[in-house]
Amino acid sequence: MKYVVMIFSANAPAALDAVRAELTASGELVSSEGLLPPSDGRIVQIRNGAQVVTAGPFIEEPLAGFLLIDVPDQARAEAVAAQVSAAVGDRVELRGTLISA
């Protein structure tokens, strides 16, 4: 099953590199990225048939990055999320995916 581990701390230390390396070695890491700050974000939508782009920032607690993992079950996903939380020194959010579950 695939899960996204969402990171809110913009200060992802080198300890996160060790977690990524471990997940890569085990074949569980699908993808990971840090994200630019919300001030660089854009909302893109269609209104009345026309594209409308609005510049950020948009949210109070911005998403700083994510890891997409492919693990056997929710227990392993929660264990990975705990490792990431410990590495970044902050809480993370864990969600299963719908399409590629």
Side-chain angles (χ1 to χ4, degrees):
M1 295 187 66
K2 290 186 179 157
Y3 292 84
V4 176
V5 181
M6 292 174 273
I7 301 168
F8 298 96
S9 172
N11 301 319
L16 186 56
D17 291 337
V19 174
R20 280 194 292 249
E22 179 185 324
L23 294 171
T24 298
S26 69
E28 295 174 310
L29 183 64
V30 175
S31 177
S32 68
E33 284 293 336
L35 301 174
L36 292 171
S39 58
D40 291 334
R42 303 286 180 270
I43 296 272
V44 179
Q45 58 188 323
I46 300 296
R47 284 192 195 152
N48 300 321
Q51 177 178 306
V52 177
V53 179
T54 307
F58 306 104
I59 55 178
E60 293 179 22
E61 192 169 21
L63 184 63
F66 68 90
L67 286 84
L68 178 61
I69 58 174
D70 190 356
V71 294
D73 54 37
Q74 185 167 338
R76 176 63 182 145
E78 289 173 0
V80 169
Q83 284 181 280
V84 174
S85 176
V88 300
D90 196 4
R91 68 181 180 81
V92 298
E93 183 175 340
L94 177 67
R95 289 194 201 175
T97 63
L98 293 174
I99 297 173
S100 60

